[in-house]
Amino acid sequence: MARKMLVDEEMNQTNQEEAHYDFDLFVIGAGSGGVRAARFSANYGAKVGICELPFHPISSEVIGGVGGTCVIRGCVPKKILVYGAAFGSELEDARNYGWELNEKLDFNWKKLLHKKTDEIIRLNGIYKRLLSNAGVKLFEGEGKIVGPNEVEVTQLDGTKLSYSAKHILIATGSRAHRPPIPGQELGITSDEALSLEDLPKHAVVLGGGYIAVEFASIWRGLGANVDLFFRKELPLRGFDDEMRAVVARNLERRGINLHPQTNLTELIKTDNGIKVTTDHGEELIADVVLFATGRLPNSKRLNLEAVGVELDNTGAVKVDEYSRTSIPSVWAVGDVTNRMNLTPVALMEGTCFAKTVFGKEPSKPDYSHVPCAVFSIPPLSVVGLSEEQAIEQANGDVLVFTSTFNPMKNTVSGRQEKTVMKLVVDAETDKVLGASMCGPDAPEIMQGIAVALQCGATKAQFDSTVGIHPSAAEEFVTMRSVSRRITCRGKPKTNL
Ligand code: NDP
């Protein structure tokens, strides 16, 4: 309530002082969070400016582009490459369905690359139109904060523009991080991986997270030899252990060489390619080495500390639960705050920001039941708690239901790859705490399951839901027998 009064008070001030500022809101960064916040704020009647660097469709040197990482050098181009890569195995599978593919299948990397780039250019145009249709003024240049209500935009020709704003929103995202090993400049990050001129013949990937697993799948699917190195026993730390093992098995079966508990120690340029040395003393030659070792907040070059905006030790902008920084007129959303680094989360944070500041409706982003997907081939998708998290947080029994089956499509195609599904349930309340699936269409299926979990669905309600037959998804409503019951007594009671 106090917070509401505070926001109302500020709104009144905004109205009184409107004339003193060039903008009600100036957004630095036109990615998912920034564009959403700008548009929604403008729809509430705010006068909004936004700045972003123009992007070069081929070069990955300039970090920028309206649409941001997701559209320009993240989710969208990656997913296009995943679709492209998945056709390889689909075409193989088609043979047992009667398709005669007599001629040697040929894959044209440059064609896929151009199609991908065309789509990015199209989406970049759509995002620009979304801004102009909402009445948001776009400035193409690099922004920085020069005071609590003052921004400066440096255009590509060096011209500097200064504007005052009642509120400033930092939405500058994150950028790929390279580990400090000798020869690291010979490797690439996902930025370059999305625009490689030639498809690698032999790729080395370092990392066990989303990007590592996804690019390993893409390149392998397109025919490259791939070696995947990661520090833990299994990839995808933080996901359900059982599902991590399923992903690892699938990657291996599809021909990716996994090197668990192994790091790279040096890269050296040779006549035959890049010589990669590992901490186990192995050496191999690759034509591409991808560092997929995480991303860091894009908070440098914004002059934040000089104006008193506090950062944490990773460089992330510190914000309260309404996305407000240590300077009351400055706010931040998306990866630059390093809360939950996913596009839909940045969209949620941008929406809540606009509601709070211009919609007279203080709104906190809700991080519960955020579903996500790793677009490996086949994909993994999850929502809610993993088995390990449920055990950690529960005080009482946790029931685990699993289903491992051969998808119907594989029975004819002959592909040896099981789909695995899992539900984690609180035995006392019967509430479904978490769901996971690794198999074709997992992300498409999981979105609906996320709605059920957000509504607090119980296992009994899952069971009373009629399935869609024949589908893989129907397994989620037919898992009758408990695979295991885990007693987690003695921990403080938490409300699951
Ligand atoms: P992640 O944080 O997911 O994974 C980073 C990986 O790099 C981990 O396996 C980590 O190992 C490893 N690593 C970190 N430092 C080193 C090092 N010095 N040497 C060796 N290995 C190292 O990062 P990504 O780069 O994959 O993705 C970045 C972000 O982008 C993620 O936060 C994700 O949210 C988002 N993203 C989401 C996607 C989606 O929704 N499908 C797709 C792609 C990205 P360890 O586990 O041992 O720490």
Side-chain angles (χ1 to χ4, degrees), residues 78 208-211 214 231-232 237 263 292-294 341-342 373:
K78 178 276 307 290
Y210 288 80
I211 294 178
E214 290 176 345
R231 300 192 291 203
K232 299 288 183 296
R237 176 168 59 86
N263 211 332
T293 47
N341 299 333
L342 297 169

